[in-house]
Amino acid sequence: MTLFSNKYSNFKNSIIDVVSKIDLGDSNYVPQGICYAEGYYFLTMYDFTKKTNSVLWIYKDGEIFKKINLDNKYHCGGISYDDDSQSIFITGKGEKNHSYVQKYGLSYLLFEFNDDELKCKASYEVDYDNSLYSSAAKHSSPSYLTCYDDYLYVGNYCTCEDLNKCFIKKFKILKNGNLSKSFDIIKNPFSNTQSLCVFEYNGELLYLFSRSFGRKRNSLIHVCRLINSDFIVISTMVLPSMLEQVSLCGDNLVLIFESCSKMFKKTALTVNDEIYVISLDNVLSSSDKFKDFCGGTSIFTRNSKYKY
């Protein structure tokens, strides 16, 4: 297990399990997205040289269960699982530079796909290029996503100079598993957002954002309430540099860092090459603001459809 300095003690003390080491060998892959689904962990990565396609690695019981080449060389970002439709959603970009979210059947990825042509169930165009969004390429693509309670939240990446262009689109996941054509818009106040996950606490939705600021600066996790269209931070945790996606894993969280990539490992402030499961309780209770929010105690219960 990676050794952490004292400034990451909250994170270190929150680690419940290490799923696996991310063994990249001499490849050019950069880890980006992670999610948990029915006992399996799904890891997305892209090739920073753009010579090979992006990939999906699936882990089971600490070992690699399957490696899948995706059908594009896109800087793939978020991945999420909807348990009602048994679907995996991944961000992507097509040959004509159209941004989209692709949907795959869980059983198809796990058991039916065998190195033939990868086929998604559906592809949904999710561009951020209309009058509400910037038409610049770096803002027009979906970067992260998460499923919660029959909704898919899809957000774009923005720096601090471009916060007026930073939004989350909220799509209804229909009974047939398709996405609604209409969507709600939520303004994201956080620059450098790498991921979002949504969960319920005492009947109120809470929103967890992960943020990364390059090779030499600490990463952050914020837990927020959404009040009158404004996100109010109630808990923050400091983590090592180059944090990527944080996803729900039953009643806990699973997360990865991109610092283990050959592209970054020689210059990153810290190098972390493992898939971590950490305590959501610890993330929440690490802040006095959360203790105030829940009436002076950090003990809580959360609705969860399955346990880690």
Side-chain angles (χ1 to χ4, degrees):
M1 182 178 296
T2 305
L3 297 178
F4 300 102
S5 67
N6 290 334
K7 63 183 174 182
Y8 305 126
S9 59
N10 283 346
F11 169 58
K12 178 181 178 181
N13 294 334
S14 299
I15 296 173
I16 296 173
D17 189 21
V18 174
V19 174
S20 177
K21 180 178 179 179
I22 304 173
D23 188 0
L24 299 178
D26 194 42
S27 73
N28 297 315
Y29 294 135
V30 182
Q32 291 294 287
I34 187 75
C35 79
Y36 173 81
E38 310 295 346
Y40 297 84
Y41 295 86
F42 293 75
L43 172 69
T44 62
M45 298 186 286
Y46 73 95
D47 178 351
F48 69 84
T49 68
K50 302 296 184 184
K51 293 180 180 179
T52 62
N53 284 13
S54 299
V55 295
L56 175 65
W57 287 6
I58 305 173
Y59 293 81
K60 173 70 172 176
D61 298 328
E63 304 289 338
I64 293 180
F65 175 79
K66 182 179 285 190
K67 294 182 178 181
I68 297 175
N69 291 323
L70 299 177
D71 61 356
N72 62 79
K73 298 178 181 180
Y74 178 59
H75 183 140
C76 58
I79 180 170
S80 191
Y81 172 61
D82 175 55
D83 54 340
D84 284 341
S85 65
Q86 298 276 291
S87 298
I88 295 284
F89 292 91
I90 305 176
T91 58
K93 181 173 283 191
E95 294 181 357
K96 296 182 179 179
N97 216 35
H98 289 165
S99 299
Y100 54 73
V101 170
Q102 287 185 317
K103 182 181 73 174
Y104 299 89
L106 177 67
S107 62
Y108 168 71
L109 293 176
L110 291 177
F111 308 116
E112 299 165 23
F113 174 74
N114 289 303
D115 295 326
D116 51 353
E117 183 179 355
L118 186 66
K119 297 178 181 179
C120 64
K121 270 190 173 182
S123 183
Y124 308 95
E125 190 165 338
V126 189
D127 282 322
Y128 293 80
D129 59 359
N130 55 38
S131 59
L132 290 171
Y133 305 101
S134 167
S135 59
K138 68 177 180 178
H139 306 300
S140 63
S141 302
S143 175
Y144 57 90
L145 49 71
T146 190
C147 298
Y148 177 76
D149 195 27
D150 299 327
Y151 284 94
L152 179 69
Y153 299 76
V154 187
N156 61 332
Y157 177 87
C158 293
T159 62
C160 59
E161 293 84 7
D162 305 302
L163 279 178
N164 62 318
K165 305 163 186 173
C166 198
F167 293 89
I168 300 165
K169 291 184 175 182
K170 179 183 175 183
F171 296 87
K172 178 71 173 177
I173 303 175
L174 304 176
K175 290 184 178 180
N176 61 6
N178 291 327
L179 297 185
S180 61
K181 293 183 179 180
S182 61
F183 53 86
D184 295 329
I185 297 173
I186 304 172
K187 181 71 173 68
N188 179 9
F190 299 115
S191 68
N192 302 78
T193 297
Q194 303 297 325
S195 68
L196 166 70
C197 55
V198 184
F199 58 94
E200 184 178 327
Y201 164 75
N202 282 357
E204 180 176 355
L205 291 187
L206 297 182
Y207 300 78
L208 187 150
F209 293 86
S210 68
R211 302 173 68 198
S212 179
F213 305 91
R215 308 179 193 197
K216 299 296 186 181
R217 296 178 61 189
N218 297 330
S219 303
L220 297 172
I221 287 177
H222 299 305
V223 180
C224 306
R225 303 172 71 188
L226 182 59
I227 302 176
N228 297 328
S229 301
D230 293 324
F231 284 106
I232 309 300
V233 177
I234 59 174
S235 184
T236 295
M237 177 177 281
V238 179
L239 293 90
S241 64
M242 310 203 77
L243 175 66
E244 283 296 319
Q245 185 166 3
V246 179
S247 297
L248 287 174
C249 180
D251 285 329
N252 295 299
L253 301 169
V254 60
L255 58 84
I256 55 169
F257 299 83
E258 65 177 351
S259 52
C260 60
S261 168
K262 185 167 63 175
M263 185 178 184
F264 304 122
K265 63 191 310 180
K266 291 183 178 180
T267 56
L269 181 65
T270 56
V271 175
N272 298 289
D273 60 357
E274 295 168 319
I275 301 171
Y276 299 98
V277 175
I278 70 169
S279 167
L280 178 56
D281 297 42
N282 283 16
V283 173
L284 293 171
S285 61
S286 62
S287 171
D288 289 337
K289 289 182 179 179
F290 181 76
K291 294 176 183 178
D292 293 340
F293 163 65
C294 58
T297 175
S298 60
I299 299 173
F300 71 100
T301 57
R302 184 175 65 82
N303 288 346
S304 179
K305 294 182 178 179
Y306 49 87
K307 302 289 185 181
Y308 167 71

